[in-house]
Amino acid sequence: MNSAKSFLGKNVNLHLKDGAVIVNVQLTGIRKNDFGKGSLVDYVPYGNRKSACVPLRNIAWAELLNLSLLQTAG
């Protein structure tokens, strides 16, 4: 939980325990699940305004992104 809080407001790649990767998202919040057990991580995909969430227990690790490396000169 504390590790997840350190990534709030930052752009990351979320690596899930099933091997999937959610690429280039900004973590916007952490909240309790509506059913009382567990926590949900809210995120917004880059270039989008719609929020989505994933259970915290499904996240294996988060990879911090440096957006200045991703920008192209144009």
Side-chain angles (χ1 to χ4, degrees), residues 32-69:
K32 291 280 186 189
N33 192 348
D34 293 337
F35 301 110
K37 262 193 165 178
S39 298
L40 298 172
V41 176
D42 293 319
Y43 64 89
V44 177
Y46 182 77
N48 200 341
R49 293 183 187 205
K50 288 188 178 182
S51 177
C53 63
V54 65
L56 182 61
R57 69 172 178 249
N58 290 355
I59 299 173
W61 58 288
E63 175 185 7
L64 188 61
L65 296 177
N66 185 351
L67 289 181
S68 63
L69 296 176

Side-chain angles (χ1 to χ4, degrees), residues 2-26:
N2 289 334
S3 297
K5 286 181 182 179
S6 69
F7 287 108
L8 287 178
K10 297 186 172 127
N11 286 51
V12 297
N13 287 340
L14 293 176
H15 295 262
L16 305 182
K17 290 181 180 178
D18 66 359
V21 179
I22 304 173
V23 179
N24 199 3
V25 296
Q26 183 178 31

